[in-house]
Amino acid sequence: MSLVRETADTYRPHLEANGFQFDCELPENALFVEGDRDALAQVVVNLLSNAEKYSDSPKEIALRIEQHSNPLPHVDVKVLDRGLGVPDGCGEKIFEQFIVAHDSLSSGIQGSGLGLTLARQIARAHAAMCFMRGAKAEGAVSCCGCH
């Protein structure tokens, strides 16, 4: 998945310029996933952008790739942040169009509420899934699992 490495390298200067520590844990050997390269890169960008928007102090984001063999061979692309987390009951709702988990007016967070919707639609078009885990105030893990 050199695509993930390339996307991370492209996004890194932006994150670092905004005071983020950005750690990548990517395998040395290439992992292969079949799909539209540009669309899959967009998923990674959307997950990184979401982590950036909702990160608090400390400003840390990690990008990881994990390879699994059970129950079927697949690769998880995970973006971890130390931000606001996902409010109770919003784990699925945040993937709906125009849904923003936190009050964007009071928090100052800008966004259209479409990034995660688009990421999930692209993932589904690739027979993959996109989901979010994380308790409120503990940060979040956004994940895209690809076969």
Side-chain angles (χ1 to χ4, degrees):
M1 293 210 51
S2 64
L3 149 76
V4 174
R5 186 177 312 281
E6 291 167 17
T7 304
D9 289 346
T10 299
Y11 209 78
R12 179 182 298 280
H14 169 77
L15 289 173
E16 291 177 348
N18 287 296
F20 281 87
Q21 177 181 328
F22 182 43
D23 296 317
C24 293
E25 297 176 24
L26 309 176
E28 292 297 318
N29 298 327
L31 301 175
F32 297 95
V33 173
E34 210 170 302
D36 180 318
R37 185 173 178 78
D38 292 336
L40 292 172
Q42 187 64 55
V43 170
V44 176
V45 167
N46 288 10
L47 297 179
L48 289 170
S49 174
N50 195 73
E52 176 188 11
K53 286 178 194 166
Y54 291 98
S55 283
D56 202 7
S57 190
K59 293 174 106 176
E60 299 172 354
I61 295 175
L63 176 62
R64 294 185 184 147
I65 293 182
E66 299 173 355
Q67 185 175 17
H68 303 278
S69 57
N70 289 321
L72 294 172
H74 68 281
V75 173
D76 287 342
V77 177
K78 294 183 177 182
V79 175
L80 300 86
D81 68 59
R82 308 266 297 184
L84 302 172
V86 181
D88 293 337
C90 290
E92 282 297 311
K93 194 169 186 79
I94 59 175
F95 289 97
E96 296 175 17
Q97 289 182 350
F98 310 115
I99 298 296
V100 178
H102 299 274
D103 183 359
S104 60
L105 292 177
S106 65
S107 67
I109 298 169
Q110 295 183 347
S112 64
L114 292 173
L116 292 179
T117 302
L118 181 59
R120 180 172 267 183
Q121 288 175 348
I122 293 169
R124 286 181 174 164
H126 288 82
M129 51 192 263
C130 201
F131 59 91
M132 182 81 63
R133 287 186 308 211
K136 189 173 180 182
E138 292 181 8
V141 177
S142 47
C143 182
C144 179
C146 302
H147 299 280

